[in-house]
Amino acid sequence: MTEQAPKKVDMEKIVSLCRRRGFIFPSSEIYGGLSSCWDYGPLGVELKRNIKDAWWRAVVQERDDMVGLDTSIMMHPQTWVASGHLEGFVDPLVECKSCHLRWRSDDLAGDSCPSCRGELTEPRLFNLMFKTFMGPIEESASVVYLRPETAQGMFVNFQNVVNTTRKRLPFGIAQIGKAFRNEITTGNFVFRSREFEQMEIEFFVKPGTDGEWFNYWIEERLNWYVKLGIKKENLQLRQHTKQELAHYARDCYDIDYLFPMGWAELEGIANRGDFDLVQHTKYSGKSLDYFDEETKEHFIPYIIEPSAGVDLSALAFLCDAYDEEPAEDEIRVLLHLHPDLAPIKVAVLPLSRREKLVAAAKKIYADLRQHWMVSYDDAQSIGRRYRRQDEIGTPFCVTIDFQSLEDEQATIRERDSMNQIRVPIAELKGTLQAKLEGEPLFVLPPGGQIWKEEKK
Ligand code: ATP
């Protein structure tokens, strides 16, 4: 993480919005919270689900060279010997001799305790994997680890995937799942959580073609964030220096995002060479090589790994979407979330609680929620209700007024422009569908004929 701290949006504003509107809460809050663990509230869970769905669609559904997996969190302990995690997944820690707080020695600026200025011990290596026991007996033979990354589940299943799918190189495996790291330096909201979710790809290629695929995936992954609304100027690529490279990596780039506290990693893309398959072959005794039917050669594929964090993506999308603009005599807070990511796609708002309006609005609500996450709100003034939806990034509101009862039309109000158009109730679903997919559709009153604006 670099020093730069441009005041784009205060982290406190994001944390407060997340808390106030039910995106993210501290874990087990009624007991005082659990350090670096977070609970996703009713809106947060939708945002996360939408991020994961968008990723899965882009990297699995829309491609013919990728398949998915869902492997177990606990794996055979030998996995972590082979992967190098048992020996190498360590941080150097120092302990304060007075207050006994522990610090990552590579994070410290001085040589005394940042909390009480006390004297520090020599650094000791500390493994970041969480340990537990499998079965009823707590002994060393039954120790298992909570996975610190989802990647290993894909490496150990390489042969299963080749045999069952008949996939030929180059092809990839994708997985979304929880990972656990006993992080020492925590803080900055969901950064360095101890329990988090990853979206990882292991892309298997013929050695010699790895450079080309490495570049391909860097570009592909960068574009994914941009397509979903992250501003290009808030993203940068950073190549790892030789000293920084992990033991398994031949090359690695981070996609950094300009978070409120400065540039920090959002996703890492590594060229892992043949390290993983060679190691697992050695430790399992099972061959993990690949037979190329065209050239009749056996070889161990190289692996390109784009590894992204769901939680960090959620935070980046929230920070990038956050906006405040003057509206009448107040500040309008809004999230310009991409429609694919918005937790709620449409809000249905009857102008008043009069029985006839409520009945018409509830019918529309029941109909639209067959297709998307829709919310219904009839509390307080219509202006307040628009603001509430703006603040959580709902792209469209549908308002039902007294005229709707006469002319069978409703108003669609757009979040970003605050433009309003009048649409026949019968055309609501089709119009919203097109608008959510980004079509510039307008409906001309009266009669509600739908026409498409010419794209310039
Ligand atoms: P470290 O800096 O601790 O060595 P890293 O940032 O290099 O770890 P990777 O091992 O490259 O992390 O993990 C891949 C992705 O998983 C990261 O880009 C990030 O999005 C996510 N991730 C890793 N650790 C955490 C964490 N503690 N909390 C939230 N997300 C994480």
Side-chain angles (χ1 to χ4, degrees), residues 12 16 31 86 89 118 154 226 257 269 277 299 391 453:
E12 292 92 83
S16 144
Y31 289 103
L86 212 51
F89 196 53
M154 295 183 268
V226 175
Y257 177 73
I269 299 148
L277 295 182
F299 58 86
E391 203 186 34
E453 191 186 36

Side-chain angles (χ1 to χ4, degrees), residues 114-399:
S115 172
C116 74
R117 299 279 142 228
E119 197 190 333
L120 298 170
T121 61
E122 284 299 304
R124 280 218 336 256
L125 294 177
F126 173 82
N127 197 296
L128 299 186
M129 283 196 293
F130 281 97
K131 257 188 215 175
T132 187
F133 299 95
M134 187 164 259
I137 303 166
E138 294 195 5
E139 57 177 16
S140 57
S142 57
V143 166
V144 289
Y145 300 91
L146 303 187
R147 67 181 178 199
E149 60 178 26
T150 68
Q152 301 300 325
M154 295 183 268
F155 303 141
V156 301
N157 276 292
F158 171 69
Q159 214 57 271
N160 283 338
V161 171
V162 171
N163 294 343
T164 54
T165 65
R166 315 274 321 139
K167 284 277 173 222
R168 301 279 119 214
L169 291 191
F171 79 91
I173 307 181
Q175 168 156 244
I176 300 177
K178 290 264 182 168
F180 305 81
R181 296 183 189 180
N182 199 358
E183 299 280 6
I184 307 309
T185 325
T186 57
N188 273 327
F189 204 22
V190 295
F191 255 86
R192 295 211 181 274
S193 298
R194 292 194 167 114
E195 173 178 341
F196 55 96
E197 234 173 331
Q198 290 187 312
M199 306 183 283
E200 294 198 296
I201 297 169
E202 305 304 333
F203 201 77
F204 303 88
V205 304
K206 191 171 179 177
T209 64
D210 48 309
E212 186 184 316
W213 280 106
F214 184 54
N215 294 337
Y216 167 86
W217 277 109
I218 293 172
E219 201 181 319
E220 192 71 10
R221 293 301 306 141
L222 199 57
N223 287 341
W224 183 78
Y225 293 103
V226 175
K227 239 198 246 164
L228 286 172
I230 297 224
K231 297 172 204 79
K232 269 196 184 141
E233 62 269 26
N234 291 338
L235 291 168
Q236 73 174 18
L237 281 174
R238 194 183 67 80
Q239 188 174 20
H240 281 207
T241 60
K242 283 235 150 51
Q243 293 73 15
E244 245 181 306
L245 273 185
H247 60 281
Y248 52 75
R250 302 166 74 90
D251 201 354
C252 186
Y253 273 85
D254 285 348
I255 299 180
D256 286 350
Y257 177 73
L258 189 52
F259 285 99
M261 69 284 183
W263 291 102
E265 179 184 338
L266 187 57
E267 170 159 354
I269 299 148
N271 180 347
R272 302 180 69 117
D274 60 5
F275 177 84
D276 308 281
L277 295 182
V278 165
Q279 286 295 102
H280 286 301
T281 302
K282 188 165 138 199
Y283 282 85
S284 68
K286 302 277 177 342
S287 161
L288 294 176
D289 70 1
Y290 176 81
F291 178 62
D292 188 327
E293 273 152 16
E294 269 170 40
T295 61
K296 309 288 175 216
E297 289 172 285
H298 284 271
F299 58 86
I300 305 249
Y302 275 21
I303 297 175
I304 308 300
E305 178 194 69
S307 170
V310 181
D311 313 77
L312 299 194
S313 299
L315 182 60
F317 284 120
L318 284 170
C319 291
D320 221 77
Y322 187 90
D323 199 6
E324 291 177 0
E325 48 177 58
E328 289 146 27
D329 10 319
E330 51 172 14
I331 299 289
R332 178 166 94 110
V333 173
L334 75 161
L335 292 180
H336 296 283
L337 284 174
H338 188 286
D340 287 357
L341 302 183
I344 306 290
K345 311 295 184 207
V346 181
V348 177
L349 316 173
L351 198 62
S352 86
R353 283 182 174 164
R354 291 275 186 80
E355 211 175 297
K356 276 194 171 164
L357 274 191
V358 166
K362 286 249 161 106
K363 188 167 175 309
I364 291 170
Y365 172 52
D367 192 26
L368 295 180
R369 64 198 275 203
Q370 307 284 319
H371 308 282
W372 310 288
M373 284 302 295
V374 179
S375 85
Y376 178 91
D377 187 3
D378 62 7
Q380 298 180 308
S381 74
I382 192 74
R384 285 267 182 112
R385 284 182 270 163
Y386 284 150
R387 295 284 177 276
R388 277 207 287 273
Q389 297 302 327
D390 292 342
E391 203 186 34
I392 62 168
T394 306
F396 301 106
C397 291
V398 170
T399 313

